Amino acid sequence: QVRLVQSGGGSVEAGGSLRLSCVASGNTANTFWMGWFRQAPGKEREGVANIASGSSHTSYSNSVKGRFTISRDGAKNTVHLQMNNLKPEDTGMYYCAAARTFVDWSRGVRYWSQGTQVTVSS
């Protein structure tokens, strides 16, 4: 089992920045692939960014590319999401996720954090 505990988030004005962090514990061998999702009210959950172990690969949704940066610290079993130039459309509940392999990740076999709210006002 893997436990994911995230921190950060909050409210900010458009153009501002926030940083999310997520610490994994338990069987961290099952966190080869980690990333962030978000869900706005009335919308489906969408992938924001993901990263492989050792930061060998990163991927971003088109809506956040160039504004958000995902990173991870293997020694601390932590993944971060630095969010810059935030827009009102970035508002939503943000979740950290982890998977044992990329195949699991792609198939939706993931561990999830509790989520944290990000609100961007115009």
Side-chain angles (χ1 to χ4, degrees):
Q1 280 290 350
V2 173
R3 184 183 184 212
L4 301 174
V5 178
Q6 67 180 92
S7 59
S11 297
V12 66
E13 291 186 352
S17 298
L18 288 173
R19 180 178 171 91
L20 304 179
S21 297
C22 176
V23 180
S25 62
N27 191 354
T28 56
N30 289 340
T31 61
F32 180 82
W33 214 274
M34 298 188 74
W36 295 90
F37 288 75
R38 68 185 182 188
Q39 187 168 19
K43 295 188 177 181
E44 293 187 356
R45 188 175 297 187
E46 63 170 345
V48 175
N50 57 77
I51 185 169
S53 178
S55 305
S56 58
H57 172 87
T58 58
S59 179
Y60 298 89
S61 69
N62 288 333
S63 60
V64 307
K65 200 172 294 184
R67 299 187 298 119
F68 291 11
T69 302
I70 189 170
S71 62
R72 66 188 292 175
D73 184 337
K76 297 181 180 180
N77 297 313
T78 301
V79 64
H80 305 283
L81 186 68
Q82 178 64 42
M83 305 183 291
N84 298 328
N85 191 21
L86 283 159
K87 304 176 180 180
E89 51 263 42
D90 293 319
T91 294
M93 187 69 76
Y94 282 69
Y95 300 88
C96 171
R100 187 175 59 89
T101 66
F102 180 71
V103 172
D104 283 352
W105 180 269
S106 299
R107 292 177 176 176
V109 181
R110 310 182 188 108
Y111 300 95
W112 293 96
S113 66
Q114 77 279 17
T116 189
Q117 178 68 32
V118 170
T119 302
V120 184
S121 59
S122 58

